[in-house]
């Protein structure tokens, strides 16, 4: 998809530039460049944490819109994977440009939703010039204040009194080189004598508002596939069941993931409470490990 997007952008750029050579009075395009978007702490957002791992992210794209002084509507420029340089058929002052952070929804191929837990980025009173590139470099977003304070955040740092995972997860407290961020992380040993090693988050999550969406975020590095499960009852007071959420394939580097829990939650008729568990799969009976860090469970009713 990245190659396709870049190819289409290149074709569009040359098409527009070629059109500039005719006598129709066509205005040469301006260009907008963005390297990427990261998440920064914000004291005004109402959500945050002192640990740096809270702000790990993997924002891979952005929706770009613009509003021009001489028009009454917002111009939707498009969705682009970062880094990108995109042509804009406008030259002059711009009321504002907006960038909506988009993430790759884990487990769903080619899904790049605007991640509503993050604020859109608005840049006001800027100027686009025909033939010139307005370079924004790397922008920063913050958490949307309508996001609930996390239902859970587990950084695995040595400053914690304990961790919110069961005893199967070894708490590695001091390994700065091995951790995703900071010094600590969780480790699950995969041994040849077991084909599946289950482990769990030792917490019950409560969601009473059926309009809310819910995501599991975590940083993970694993030599084997990992299944994610949701445990809940189909009806209030009924027996708890287990449904698979997604499978994470082996990853040889720390990867930040955005796992949509809402799809599975709806299968339970929007149960008021649920639990989360995992299973390290070992069909080949080999030794390995699963490393996890910076687990977050977030909820919000912001849907765009």
């Amino acid at each position: 998809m990245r190659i396709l997007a870049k190819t289409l952008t290149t074709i569009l750029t040359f098409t527009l530039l070629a059109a500039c050579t005719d006598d129709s009075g066509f205005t040469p395009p301006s260009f907008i460049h963005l390297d990427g978007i990261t998440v920064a702490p914000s004291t005004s957002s109402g959500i945050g944490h002192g640990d740096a791992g809270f702000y790990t992210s993997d924002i891979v794209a952005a929706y770009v819109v613009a509003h021009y002084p001489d028009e009454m509507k917002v111009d939707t420029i498009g969705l682009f994977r970062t880094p990108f340089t995109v042509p804009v058929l406008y030259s002059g002052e711009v009321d504002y440009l907006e960038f909506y952070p988009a993430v790759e929804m884990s487990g769903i191929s080619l899904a790049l939703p605007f991640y509503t837990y993050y604020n859109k980025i608005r840049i006001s009173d800027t100027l686009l010039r025909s033939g010139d590139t307005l370079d924004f470099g790397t922008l920063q977003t913050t958490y949307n204040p309508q996001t609930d304070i996390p239902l859970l955040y587990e950084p695995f740092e040595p400053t914690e009194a304990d961790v919110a995972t069961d005893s199967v997860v070894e708490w590695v407290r001091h390994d700065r080189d091995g951790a995703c961020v900071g010094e600590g992380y969780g480790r699950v040993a995969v041994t040849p004598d077991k084909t599946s090693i289950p482990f769990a988050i030792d917490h019950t999550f409560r969601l009473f508002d059926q309009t809310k969406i819910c995501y599991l975020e975590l940083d993970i590095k694993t030599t084997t596939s990992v299944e994610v499960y949701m445990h809940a009852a189909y009806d209030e007071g009924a027996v708890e069941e287990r449904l698979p959420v997604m499978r994470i394939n082996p990853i040889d580097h720390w990867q930040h993931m955005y796992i949509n829990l809402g799809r599975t939650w709806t299968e339970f008729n929007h149960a008021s409470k649920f639990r989360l568990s995992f299973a390290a799969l070992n069909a080949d009976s080999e030794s390995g490990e699963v490393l996890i860090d910076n687990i977050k469970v977030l909820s919000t009713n912001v849907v765009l």
Side-chain angles (χ1 to χ4, degrees), residues 81 87 99 120 144 186 213 217 264 295:
R81 278 187 175 267
F99 299 86
K120 65 184 179 184
N144 191 315
I213 59 175
E217 288 187 47
T264 309
I295 297 172

Side-chain angles (χ1 to χ4, degrees), residues 30 62 66 81 95 97 104 107 115 152 169 177 202 209 220 230 257 271 273 291:
S30 309
R81 278 187 175 267
D95 285 336
L97 292 169
E104 201 164 61
Y115 199 55
L152 175 76
V169 181
D177 292 336
D202 190 14
D209 187 345
I220 187 168
M230 177 180 282
M257 306 199 76
K273 59 185 179 180
L291 308 183

Side-chain angles (χ1 to χ4, degrees), residues 21-35:
T21 61
D22 63 27
D23 298 323
S24 64
F26 181 81
T27 302
S30 309
F31 295 88
I32 295 173
H33 177 80
L34 182 67
D35 287 323

Side-chain angles (χ1 to χ4, degrees), residues 48-71:
H49 196 278
D51 183 75
F54 189 87
Y55 303 98
T56 58
S57 63
D58 188 21
I59 299 170
V60 298
Y63 291 86
V64 185
V65 302
H67 190 275
Y68 312 121
D70 53 349
E71 296 186 14

Side-chain angles (χ1 to χ4, degrees), residues 11 38 40 127 161 163 168 209 214 221 247 254 268 270 279:
I11 292 172
T38 59
L127 182 66
V163 293
V168 177
D209 187 345
C214 190
K221 180 180 179 182
R247 175 176 292 191
W254 282 108
F268 284 114
H270 292 93

Side-chain angles (χ1 to χ4, degrees), residues 61-245:
Y63 291 86
V64 185
V65 302
H67 190 275
Y68 312 121
D70 53 349
E71 296 186 14
M72 299 301 294
K73 64 181 180 65
V74 172
D75 179 21
T76 302
I77 297 172
L79 168 65
F80 307 95
R81 278 187 175 267
T82 57
F84 62 77
T85 301
V86 56
V88 183
L89 294 178
Y90 184 84
S91 181
E93 294 184 356
V94 180
D95 285 336
Y96 60 81
L97 292 169
E98 288 181 335
F99 299 86
Y100 291 76
V103 304
E104 201 164 61
M105 189 186 299
S106 304
I108 303 180
S109 178
L110 305 181
L112 293 171
F114 163 48
Y115 199 55
T116 55
Y117 299 100
Y118 298 146
N119 285 311
K120 65 184 179 184
I121 302 166
R122 174 176 286 199
I123 299 173
S124 302
D125 302 322
T126 189
L127 182 66
L128 292 172
R129 296 182 185 274
S130 294
D132 289 350
T133 299
L134 189 57
D135 190 344
F136 290 104
T138 299
L139 295 175
Q140 289 188 322
T141 185
T142 54
Y143 276 97
N144 191 315
Q146 296 188 59
T147 298
D148 288 349
I149 293 174
L151 303 176
L152 175 76
Y153 174 56
E154 177 52 75
F156 290 100
E157 289 306 296
T159 53
E160 300 292 306
D162 51 25
V163 293
T165 51
D166 64 21
S167 59
V168 177
V169 181
E170 175 194 358
W171 181 10
V172 181
R173 296 173 184 251
H174 300 285
D175 183 6
R176 188 176 296 275
D177 292 336
C180 176
V181 175
E183 296 185 41
Y185 54 90
R187 177 181 182 272
V188 176
V190 179
T191 55
D193 60 315
K194 295 182 179 179
T195 57
S196 177
I197 298 91
F199 57 101
I201 295 176
D202 190 14
H203 186 86
T204 298
F205 302 96
R206 297 183 181 275
L207 284 175
F208 298 102
D209 187 345
Q210 296 188 5
T211 66
K212 291 191 175 185
I213 59 175
C214 190
Y215 269 80
L216 165 66
E217 288 187 47
L218 78 161
D219 292 293
I220 187 168
K221 180 180 179 182
T222 176
T223 61
T224 187
S225 296
V226 177
E227 287 274 10
V228 183
Y229 301 100
M230 177 180 282
H231 303 248
Y234 290 103
D235 298 294
E236 194 67 33
V239 176
E240 183 182 83
E241 303 285 349
R242 185 187 77 169
L243 288 179
V245 177

